[in-house]
Amino acid sequence: MSSTLLEYSELLEGVKGKNIGSSQTCFFTSVQTDSRNVVKDTLFVPLIGEKQDGHVYIPQALEKGASVVFLEASEAEKNAEKYQDLQKNYPDVLFIAVENTLHALQDAAEVYASKKCRNMIRISITGSSGKTTTKEMMVSVCKAHFGENGVAYTKGNFNSETGLPLTVFTIRGDEKVCVLEMGMNRVNEIGEISKVFKSQYGIITNIGTAHIGILGSRENIAREKRKSLAYIPESGAAFFPESDSYGDFCLANVKGKKIKFGYKASEERYNVKLVENKGLFGIDFTINDKKVSLPLSGDYNFINALGVISCAKEIGISDEEIKAGLESVASLSGRMETKVVQLKSGKDVILIKDCYNANFESMSKVIEFCDGLKKIGKKIFVLADMKELGSESEKTHRAIGEKINEVSPDYVYLIGEEMKAAYSVLFKKENSFYYEEAGDYTFGLISNQINAYAEENDVILLKGSHSMGLEKLVPMLVKQEA
C-alpha cells in the first residue's frame, strides 16, 4: 500500500488546522479541489470562488472516497449540525477545520514540497508571455539530461494559486529536477505559490502588459513577477532577457547569480550564435559551434530558448543534451501552431493558430513575425480581443491597429467589442472587416470569404484571447481539423 502524502502531525501543524471529528487517521494519496476528480484516499479541499462554494460538494467527495477533508472554521461553526451528521456517517474520515481552505492547500503543499523536493533541482518560469513554451523547452532539455522519469513539471495550465499546489502533490520525490510554471491573475498570487515551491533557479521571460487591467502598470507587473525569484539561494541563479527594461528592477534582490540572456549576452557568456532565422521552419543557431535547429518559429521563441540554455548550462546540462532537447520540442496546441492545411476550397495554405492567450506583446510579436515571412502569398489576419486589459484596453487595441498599419497585411478581420478601437485607426478599410461578436455566425462569414479568395501558399493568422473562441473557426475553414 502506498504511504500517505503527509502524516497527521505534519498536516495539522502545516495548515494550522483543528481536527473537528473523531478520526485521527491521516491517510491520503492524492489531493483534489474538484469533487468530480475525487477517488479513494483523496484529500478534498473545497474552495470558495465568486460563483461557487466548494463546501456544498463535500458530501459528493465523501461518497467517492475522500479520506481527509478541509473546511473553513466559519463554515463548520455555521453548519455544525450538518458536519456532525457527516462525521457520524463517515467516522473514518479526518475532518480538519482551517481559517482559509485556499491558504491551507498552499500550506500543505509547502510542507510536502519541503519533504519531496529537498534534494531536487527546482526551476520556476514566469513572464507576461511565452512562459508555457519556455517551460516546455526547459522540460525537454531536462529530459535529455535526467531521463524521461527524472523530471517533474507543470502539466497543462496548472500554474495558478491552486494549480501549482496540486502539481506539487503529484511529485513522487525520486525525480532529479522539477520545472514549474507560475501564472498570475491577482496581486501576490506569485508570492504565495513561490513560497510553496521555493525555486533555486528562476526564468522570467518578459514584463509585458498581460493583466495590466488588474495591476495597473508594467512596474506593478514586474513587482509581482520578481516574487518568483524571492527564494533563490546564493547557490542558485535568476535569468532575465537583456532587452527588457525591467531587468535590473527584477534582479535587484536576488541572492544567487543574476544572468541576462539575449543575442549579445548569450554569445558572450555561452558562445551561442544565431545562424539563420528560417521563418516558418524555425531557427538555426550554434552553441560552441554545435549546430542546433529549433523547430519553433519566431524571434521571441529563440530569445526564450536562450533563457533555457542559460539555465541548462548553470545546472550542468551539456551542449549535446541541450541540442537534443530543443530540437525535439514541438509547438503546443493553440500556441503558434504552424501547419500547411487544405481549405475547403481545395487550396493549400499556411495556417498559424495562436488562440490560447493574447496581450499586446504576444500579438505584436506574431504580427511582426508574419510581416517578415518571405516567399509566401497573401497575408490574412484574423484577430480577436485581448482580454484583462482594464482601463488600458482601448489604448492597447488602438496600438494593435497601428501595428497592423505598419505591416499592411492583405486582409484583416477584427472580432470583438475591444477590437473596434483597432479597426478605427486602420488605413486600408477596403480590405478590413470588423465584427462585434464572436461566434458561429461571424466565423461562418469569415470562413466563406477566405475560402473564396485565398490562394496557394497564402498565410492565415488566427490570434486572440482564448475566451474569444477563434479555434472554432478552423473546422469551418479547412477540410480537416488543423
Side-chain angles (χ1 to χ4, degrees), residues 222 351 470:
L351 178 67
L470 274 185

Side-chain angles (χ1 to χ4, degrees), residues 381-385 400-401 404 412-416 419-424 426 432-436 442 446:
F381 292 177
V382 184
L383 309 177
D385 283 354
I400 286 297
I404 294 169
V412 179
Y413 295 88
L414 300 178
I415 305 170
M419 274 295 173
K420 187 175 184 179
Y423 182 73
S424 70
L426 293 188
S432 304
F433 307 89
Y434 170 69
Y435 301 91
E436 186 171 329
T442 296
I446 294 172

Side-chain angles (χ1 to χ4, degrees), residues 280 336-341 343 348-353 366-367 369-382 409-413 450 453-462 477:
L280 291 166
M336 196 62 180
E337 279 187 272
T338 304
K339 292 183 179 179
V340 175
V341 298
L343 295 177
D348 289 334
V349 300
I350 301 160
L351 178 67
I352 300 175
K353 185 171 68 167
V366 75
I367 288 172
F369 169 75
C370 290
D371 183 50
L373 294 175
K374 309 298 181 187
K375 298 180 181 178
I376 59 168
K378 295 186 295 293
K379 296 172 186 176
I380 303 165
F381 292 177
V382 184
D410 296 278
Y411 292 92
V412 179
Y413 295 88
I450 292 176
Y453 66 70
E455 300 292 339
E456 297 284 334
N457 208 35
D458 285 357
V459 171
I460 302 171
L461 167 64
L462 308 182
L477 278 171

Side-chain angles (χ1 to χ4, degrees), residues 313-444:
K313 298 286 274 186
E314 291 300 316
I315 64 176
I317 299 179
S318 70
D319 295 344
E320 190 61 46
E321 291 162 335
I322 292 172
K323 170 184 168 68
L326 290 178
E327 290 188 341
S328 64
V329 172
S331 293
L332 297 167
S333 179
R335 290 179 171 88
M336 196 62 180
E337 279 187 272
T338 304
K339 292 183 179 179
V340 175
V341 298
Q342 189 172 68
L343 295 177
K344 290 185 174 178
S345 64
K347 305 293 186 181
D348 289 334
V349 300
I350 301 160
L351 178 67
I352 300 175
K353 185 171 68 167
D354 197 343
C355 310
Y356 187 80
N357 203 358
N359 53 56
F360 178 74
E361 287 75 23
S362 64
M363 191 168 283
S364 294
K365 286 173 181 175
V366 75
I367 288 172
E368 290 169 359
F369 169 75
C370 290
D371 183 50
L373 294 175
K374 309 298 181 187
K375 298 180 181 178
I376 59 168
K378 295 186 295 293
K379 296 172 186 176
I380 303 165
F381 292 177
V382 184
L383 309 177
D385 283 354
M386 302 174 287
K387 296 298 187 180
E388 298 182 344
L389 294 176
S391 61
E392 297 289 313
S393 182
E394 182 176 356
K395 182 177 79 172
T396 305
H397 282 84
R398 283 178 65 89
I400 286 297
E402 300 291 355
K403 178 67 68 175
I404 294 169
N405 286 335
E406 289 175 20
V407 304
S408 193
D410 296 278
Y411 292 92
V412 179
Y413 295 88
L414 300 178
I415 305 170
E417 294 179 5
E418 307 299 328
M419 274 295 173
K420 187 175 184 179
Y423 182 73
S424 70
V425 300
L426 293 188
F427 295 150
K428 293 174 61 175
K429 287 289 202 300
E430 66 276 11
N431 289 334
S432 304
F433 307 89
Y434 170 69
Y435 301 91
E436 186 171 329
E437 294 184 8
D440 289 348
Y441 178 73
T442 296
F443 296 156

Side-chain angles (χ1 to χ4, degrees), residues 23-299:
S23 174
Q24 293 195 355
T25 301
C26 179
F27 184 89
F28 64 100
T29 56
S30 67
V31 181
Q32 295 292 342
T33 58
D34 187 334
S35 62
R36 293 169 295 184
N37 298 329
V38 169
V39 295
K40 187 176 182 296
D41 296 328
T42 292
L43 161 59
F44 177 62
V45 184
L47 300 175
I48 300 176
E50 292 182 8
K51 298 180 180 179
Q52 290 201 67
D53 184 341
H55 288 91
V56 303
Y57 299 106
I58 288 177
Q60 289 93 317
L62 292 168
E63 288 174 13
K64 298 185 77 173
S67 55
V68 183
V69 173
F70 286 171
L71 65 159
E72 295 200 352
S74 58
E75 166 72 14
E77 185 178 342
K78 184 171 66 176
N79 295 298
E81 189 175 327
K82 169 186 173 182
Y83 291 107
Q84 287 168 5
D85 288 343
L86 285 175
Q87 289 158 23
K88 289 176 186 177
N89 293 332
Y90 297 92
D92 296 329
V93 172
L94 176 60
F95 290 85
I96 300 177
V98 298
E99 183 178 348
N100 179 291
T101 52
L102 170 61
H103 293 159
L105 170 66
Q106 294 171 347
D107 291 342
E110 181 182 356
V111 174
Y112 185 78
S114 70
K115 287 177 59 176
K116 295 294 185 179
C117 300
R118 186 180 298 126
N119 299 316
M120 211 177 284
I121 296 169
R122 300 183 301 279
I123 302 169
S124 66
I125 298 172
T126 192
S128 294
S129 60
K131 55 185 174 289
T132 301
T133 303
T134 303
K135 179 258 299 183
E136 291 296 320
M137 286 192 280
M138 191 76 244
V139 168
S140 187
V141 168
C142 285
K143 285 182 177 181
H145 179 74
F146 296 105
E148 188 74 24
N149 296 322
V151 187
Y153 57 96
T154 302
K155 309 291 197 305
N157 63 346
F158 275 65
N159 61 8
S160 65
E161 60 187 3
T162 57
L164 185 137
L166 291 174
T167 296
V168 164
F169 277 115
T170 66
I171 297 169
R172 302 184 310 272
D174 57 353
E175 301 94 340
K176 303 299 182 185
V177 62
C178 184
V179 183
L180 294 191
E181 179 183 333
M182 294 184 176
M184 175 183 71
N185 282 298
R186 61 171 175 82
V187 172
N188 203 40
E189 183 168 5
I190 284 183
E192 292 173 11
I193 58 181
S194 294
K195 182 174 178 286
V196 170
F197 187 51
K198 297 182 175 66
S199 57
Q200 296 167 294
Y201 300 87
I203 300 173
I204 297 180
T205 60
N206 51 40
I207 302 298
T209 57
H211 310 303
I212 200 166
I214 299 169
L215 296 169
S217 69
R218 283 188 69 212
E219 183 173 330
N220 288 340
I221 293 168
R223 187 170 283 109
E224 293 300 316
K225 294 293 185 183
R226 72 176 181 179
K227 291 177 182 179
S228 67
L229 312 176
Y231 295 90
I232 291 174
E234 289 184 9
S235 58
F239 309 89
F240 199 92
E242 64 181 348
S243 59
D244 195 300
S245 60
Y246 281 91
D248 293 339
F249 179 80
C250 287
L251 297 173
N253 298 319
V254 172
K255 294 177 183 177
K257 291 182 182 178
K258 305 173 184 181
I259 298 173
K260 292 187 179 180
F261 57 88
Y263 284 103
K264 182 180 178 182
S266 297
E267 181 173 350
E268 290 177 354
R269 192 176 189 106
Y270 303 115
N271 196 25
V272 180
K273 298 178 182 178
L274 176 67
V275 175
E276 182 186 6
N277 187 333
K278 300 185 293 183
L280 291 166
F281 304 102
I283 295 172
D284 287 348
F285 61 95
T286 59
I287 308 176
N288 291 319
D289 299 324
K290 183 181 295 293
K291 185 181 176 184
V292 182
S293 294
L294 181 69
L296 304 181
S297 305
D299 175 73

